[in-house]
């Protein structure tokens, strides 16, 4: 259940303070966590693990995990310098997670959503079979419940140790997003540092609205690979969120403290549109009474306009 | 080791110590796999335009993405085939140095993928089946390509293919390099020529990252399971097309005939299904891909 923030720092034996890589100020870990892992001095966004992210976003006590029992297998019996299962085990121990993505339902300011958060600390947030399947289940849950889907991305790309199977997760997650679009259910991604490779070239860039955190590296091919293979000189801001925004690849950059509010605003406005397009949803929502406040009011107004007789409409 | 007449142990010793090393690591480098990698990249192997020339009685190339440029690394157009029309889209490599450079070694930029989408949507509008031919080391890794949204270009092509309601067949004819290849391969049927390869990453890059030594590419190739037979076993592809004796590069015309027969057979099969059902089955197929454990059971 929710808000178990696993104290990774202590397990890894790192000191209580951490230096900001941007402004070099020494920051107290506890205070940094309280500030959502954003540097007090310069606003540098530190990486946030999946659990901590859920804790930052979800309303207290509303998180319920989906597909938590899925675990990686080793279909190719992959062995490089170390066997793949050993790498997984280590990642599980280090992060306290069972895979590179954490999926569940929760509320954001009382709004029901399906939320997924990726964790770069788990084998570079790489996408293998389990990440693909958990994403699929998240999308399925969103499509069935008609809750919007929010995915916080952080990934180095496909998981090499699952070979072609991980490449296929790009196709699989794309089909899942297609399924969401058919309903339609709003789908928003939050791209955090770094989001690259197979994730960038599949669901991360297929969202209705793409948000990014400041300074995040977002690209298909990473800067080092580009430098090595094509010997091109890279601009200083290569692949950064700001550069992506300027080149029209993302909708907006939102700093972490504002993220939750902004998500709720965007989803609320998009949901209004869905309610207009699919009348029967109103009925279902009214019955369940799942939403209060201004959204419910707006919904009532729209409904009254479309159905002046006041009788429940039948399909 | 003294070199005496009649006694030459040096070669033997090298061979045995090599064998000990192999046995010690528990794995052997299988030449067979690397041969396939080399065949898939053979400079005389038929490319998309060679197949098109042999397979179809007519071909009108359509160019440009209507947004930015025409990418010569992806070609496409209307091909006539037994009095009907097929939309063919494929990666294109060059034969000589000049052509190779012009075709960017078959590595598409975002405009290539956007052209592919334009052509596939056009086909869908008029109910024309789509054939894609896949042969690329991968999407082009460059600054400008990134700035124009290489990731988004690939994902939107995948989405375009997930949505198509015409029959779609893809054939991996050479190198199926990562996302740049997959972008054209989200199809009802995915076929592979016998000596082609399909992989999440090139063996060289994989070796450099995981073994920290690009000389281990052969071992990486074997570990990645990128040959057609292995991929059929893993149920990633729907069929393997045999090549003419010695490989497709020995006889372009025969290779094209094999491909044409396979296309015909698969289209006949696919066209019997209702478009909505075909699309559903395509989604189901990709949904099933992956291996994981749930409650302790391994599921495929």
């Amino acid at each position: 259940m929710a808000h178990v923030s696993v104290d990774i720092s202590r397990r890894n034996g790192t000191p209580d303070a951490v230096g900001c890589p941007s402004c070099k100020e020494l920051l107290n870990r506890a205070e940094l966590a309280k500030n959502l892992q954003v540097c007090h001095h310069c606003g540098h966004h530190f990486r946030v693990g999946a659990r901590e992210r859920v804790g930052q976003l979800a309303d207290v006590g509303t998180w319920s995990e989906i597909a938590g029992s899925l675990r990686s297998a080793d279909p190719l019996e992959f062995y490089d310098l170390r066997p793949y299962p050993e790498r997984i085990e280590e990642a599980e121990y280090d992060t306290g997670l069972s895979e590179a993505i954490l999926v569940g339902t929760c509320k954001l300011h009382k709004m029901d959503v399906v939320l997924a958060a990726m964790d770069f600390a788990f084998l570079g947030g790489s996408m293998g079979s389990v990440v693909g399947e958990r994403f699929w289940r998240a999308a399925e849950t969103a499509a069935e419940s008609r809750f919007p889907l929010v995915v916080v991305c952080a990934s180095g790309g496909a998981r090499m140790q699952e070979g072609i199977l991980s490449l296929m997760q790009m196709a699989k997650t794309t089909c899942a997003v297609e399924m969401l679009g058919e309903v339609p259910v709003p789908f928003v991604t939050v791209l955090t540092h770094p989001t690259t490779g197979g994730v960038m070239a599949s669901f991360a860039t297929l969202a209705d609205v793409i948000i990014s955190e400041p300074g995040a590296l977002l690209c298909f091919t990473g800067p080092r690979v580009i430098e090595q293979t094509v010997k091109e000189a890279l601009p200083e801001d290569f692949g950064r969120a700001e550069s992506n925004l300027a080149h029209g690849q993302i909708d907006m950059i939102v700093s972490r403290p504002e993220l939750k509010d902004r998500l709720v605003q965007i989803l609320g406005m998009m949901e209004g549109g869905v309610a207009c397009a699919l009348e029967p949803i109103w009925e279902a929502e009214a019955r369940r009474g799942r939403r209060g406040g201004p959204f419910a009011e707006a919904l009532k107004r729209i409904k009254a306009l479309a159905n002046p007789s006041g009788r429940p409409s039948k399909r | 080791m003294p070199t005496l007449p009649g006694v030459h142990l040096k070669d033997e010793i090298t061979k045995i110590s090599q064998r000990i090393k192999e046995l010690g690591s528990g794995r052997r480098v299988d030449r067979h796999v690397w041969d396939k990698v080399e065949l898939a990249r053979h400079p005389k192997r038929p490319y998309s335009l060679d197949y098109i020339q042999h397979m179809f009685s007519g071909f009108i190339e359509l160019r440009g993405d209507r947004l930015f440029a025409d990418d010569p690394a992806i070609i496409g157009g209307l091909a006539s085939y037994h009095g009907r029309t097929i939309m063919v889209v494929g990666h294109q490599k060059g034969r000589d140095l000049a052509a190779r450079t012009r075709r960017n070694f078959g590595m598409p930029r975002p405009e290539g993928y956007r052209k592919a989408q334009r052509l596939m949507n056009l086909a869908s509008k008029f109910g024309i089946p789509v054939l894609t031919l896949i042969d690329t080391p991968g999407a082009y890794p460059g600054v400008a390509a990134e700035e124009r949204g290489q990731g988004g270009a690939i994902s939107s092509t995948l989405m375009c293919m997930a949505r198509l309601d015409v029959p779609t067949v893809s054939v991996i004819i050479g190198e199926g390099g990562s996302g740049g290849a997959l972008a054209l391969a989200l199809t009802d049927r995915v076929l592979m020529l016998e000596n082609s390869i399909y992989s999440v990453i090139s063996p060289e890059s994989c070796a450099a990252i995981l073994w920290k030594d690009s000389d281990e590419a052969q071992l990486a190739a074997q570990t990645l399971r990128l040959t057609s037979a292995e991929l059929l076993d893993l149920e990633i592809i729907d069929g393997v097309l045999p090549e003419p004796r010695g490989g497709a590069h020995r006889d372009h015309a025969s290779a094209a005939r094999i491909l044409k027969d396979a296309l015909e057979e698969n289209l006949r099969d696919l066209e019997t299904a209702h478009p909505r059902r075909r699309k559903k089955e395509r989604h189901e197929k990709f949904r099933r891909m992956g291996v994981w454990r749930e409650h302790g059971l391994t599921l495929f």
Side-chain angles (χ1 to χ4, degrees):
Chain A
M1 284 302 281
H3 317 291
V4 196
S5 80
V6 173
D7 191 353
I8 302 165
S9 55
R10 190 167 304 149
R11 199 189 284 179
N12 288 351
T14 40
D16 287 341
V18 59
C20 172
S22 177
C23 68
K24 317 289 176 218
E25 284 285 340
L26 208 59
L27 307 166
N28 179 292
R29 272 191 183 276
E31 271 176 39
L32 189 60
K34 224 181 279 170
N35 202 35
L36 310 176
Q37 307 288 358
V38 178
C39 172
H40 299 70
H41 303 276
C42 68
H44 172 81
H45 283 51
F46 286 79
R47 277 208 309 256
V48 173
R51 265 183 217 288
E52 191 172 353
R53 178 72 67 173
V54 168
Q56 287 181 3
L57 289 175
D59 293 350
V60 175
T62 60
W63 172 257
S64 147
E65 196 177 343
I66 299 169
S69 67
L70 299 185
R71 295 287 184 281
S72 284
D74 182 17
L76 305 189
E77 294 172 351
F78 201 96
Y79 187 109
D80 44 88
L81 296 177
R82 290 164 60 199
Y84 176 42
E86 198 179 297
R87 286 185 189 263
I88 295 246
E89 222 167 273
E90 189 184 272
E92 283 174 347
Y93 181 82
D94 286 349
T95 61
L97 292 167
S98 59
E99 252 300 333
I101 194 168
L102 189 63
V103 170
T105 56
C106 66
K107 288 180 195 278
L108 305 183
H109 293 323
K110 295 187 183 163
M111 175 189 270
D112 283 302
V113 297
V114 178
L115 177 67
M118 301 186 78
D119 198 314
F120 193 78
F122 195 103
L123 294 176
S126 56
M127 174 160 68
S129 299
V130 173
V131 172
E133 180 65 16
R134 282 192 183 175
F135 183 88
W136 184 285
R137 301 222 182 151
E140 209 170 42
T141 310
E144 280 166 9
S145 61
R146 311 209 169 196
F147 297 161
L149 176 63
V150 177
V151 181
V152 183
C153 304
S155 174
R159 186 171 296 169
M160 273 174 287
Q161 289 89 347
E162 290 186 31
I164 195 82
L165 290 163
S166 48
L167 184 67
M168 292 303 133
Q169 304 313 309
M170 291 171 64
K172 180 170 173 170
T173 52
T174 300
C175 290
V177 176
E178 209 272 342
M179 171 174 79
L180 278 181
E182 295 273 285
V183 178
V185 167
F187 172 37
V188 176
T189 48
V190 181
L191 311 186
T192 71
H193 182 73
T195 302
T196 62
V199 168
M200 191 61 182
S202 61
F203 63 84
T205 46
L206 288 173
D208 300 312
V209 175
I210 305 175
I211 302 173
S212 169
E213 285 193 339
L217 176 70
L218 321 169
C219 55
F220 177 61
T221 315
R224 236 179 319 157
V225 177
I226 293 185
E227 264 171 351
Q228 282 166 7
T229 49
V230 295
K231 318 264 186 280
E232 267 186 71
L234 300 189
E236 207 172 305
D237 65 342
F238 169 81
R240 294 288 161 183
E242 294 72 15
S243 155
N244 273 279
L245 185 68
H247 285 102
Q249 305 303 331
I250 56 173
D251 287 290
M252 64 190 86
I253 296 173
V254 177
S255 71
R256 203 169 286 156
E258 292 168 317
L259 182 61
K260 182 170 175 176
D261 292 351
R262 190 59 73 87
L263 277 171
V264 173
Q265 281 170 358
I266 293 168
L267 293 173
M269 297 188 89
M270 285 167 78
E271 287 260 275
V274 171
C276 291
L278 284 172
E279 197 193 19
I281 297 182
W282 308 349
E283 309 297 328
E285 286 190 354
R287 267 199 308 278
R288 272 181 284 167
R290 76 175 171 93
R291 202 157 296 158
F295 300 123
E297 290 305 314
L299 224 55
K300 256 186 228 158
R301 277 200 301 278
I302 297 164
K303 193 180 162 186
L305 276 174
N307 190 9
S309 68
R311 278 194 302 273
S313 58
K314 276 181 190 134
R315 177 163 249 175
Chain B
M1 188 64 51
T3 350
L4 299 170
V7 184
H8 298 288
L9 292 175
K10 200 163 171 245
D11 285 357
E12 274 313 294
I13 291 170
T14 319
K15 224 185 276 174
I16 291 169
S17 37
Q18 181 66 31
R19 178 92 181 102
I20 290 170
K21 213 171 125 195
E22 281 171 9
L23 288 173
S25 69
R27 289 151 304 143
R28 273 197 66 192
V29 171
D30 187 354
R31 270 302 300 179
H32 179 72
V33 170
W34 193 249
D35 286 346
K36 298 248 177 204
V37 174
E38 287 183 337
L39 273 175
R41 295 170 175 171
H42 198 287
K44 291 198 171 132
R45 198 165 168 84
Y47 298 145
S48 291
L49 282 171
D50 300 310
Y51 283 107
I52 291 170
Q53 193 195 331
H54 283 104
M55 282 169 72
F56 304 107
S57 51
F59 176 65
I60 298 169
E61 189 180 347
L62 303 174
R63 295 176 57 177
D65 67 347
R66 302 291 188 271
L67 296 164
F68 180 75
D70 179 52
D71 184 354
I74 287 188
I75 52 112
L78 297 162
S80 49
Y81 158 88
H82 294 323
R84 55 180 299 190
T85 309
I86 303 264
M87 178 63 80
V88 189
V89 179
H91 298 100
Q92 181 64 37
K93 293 179 178 172
R95 197 64 71 185
D96 56 40
L97 186 63
R100 238 173 266 162
T101 314
R102 191 169 80 80
R103 299 285 184 191
N104 199 26
F105 305 89
M107 294 187 285
R109 296 181 164 94
E111 46 272 26
Y113 293 111
R114 288 175 180 139
K115 168 165 75 177
Q117 288 174 43
R118 183 175 79 84
L119 299 187
M120 291 191 280
N121 286 328
L122 192 157
S124 179
K125 185 170 162 185
F126 295 103
I128 299 169
V130 174
L131 167 70
T132 61
L133 299 172
I134 288 147
D135 189 12
T136 178
Y140 183 66
V143 174
E146 289 294 334
E147 286 174 349
R148 293 198 294 278
Q150 188 71 283
I154 292 173
S155 68
S156 53
T157 311
L158 286 167
M159 182 55 87
C160 170
M161 299 201 84
R163 282 189 177 147
L164 285 182
D165 49 18
V166 289
T168 54
V169 176
S170 57
V171 186
I172 295 149
I173 56 172
E175 281 182 279
S178 193
L182 175 74
L184 299 184
L186 205 163
T187 48
D188 297 318
R189 294 289 155 81
V190 183
L191 308 173
M192 249 177 112
L193 281 175
E194 189 186 345
N195 296 319
S196 56
I197 55 170
Y198 192 15
S199 174
V200 66
I201 186 170
S202 76
E204 288 82 359
S205 306
C206 182
I209 297 170
L210 290 182
W211 278 267
K212 326 263 179 236
D213 180 1
S214 50
D215 293 342
E216 296 280 13
Q218 300 198 10
L219 191 58
Q222 193 179 320
T223 317
L224 282 167
R225 309 238 199 142
L226 40 68
T227 66
S228 54
E230 287 166 303
L231 293 170
L232 188 66
D233 274 351
L234 287 167
E235 293 178 27
I236 298 299
I237 57 168
D238 302 295
V240 176
L241 308 180
E243 290 185 23
R245 242 173 99 91
H249 61 283
R250 304 282 286 273
D251 186 352
H252 289 197
S254 304
R257 205 169 314 121
I258 292 165
L259 215 154
K260 189 176 175 178
D261 289 345
L263 173 67
E264 211 165 314
E265 190 191 315
N266 280 284
L267 280 186
R268 208 183 305 128
D269 219 34
L270 289 169
E271 276 168 344
T272 56
H274 187 277
R276 204 170 304 147
R277 182 164 167 186
R278 207 162 40 217
K279 192 171 134 188
K280 192 161 182 268
E281 280 175 1
R282 190 189 312 148
H283 284 211
E284 281 300 310
K285 180 174 91 161
F286 285 99
R287 197 252 147 107
R288 282 194 301 272
M289 287 185 188
V291 178
W292 60 86
R293 287 180 294 132
E294 191 165 14
H295 307 300
L297 296 166
T298 302
L299 301 169
F300 289 85

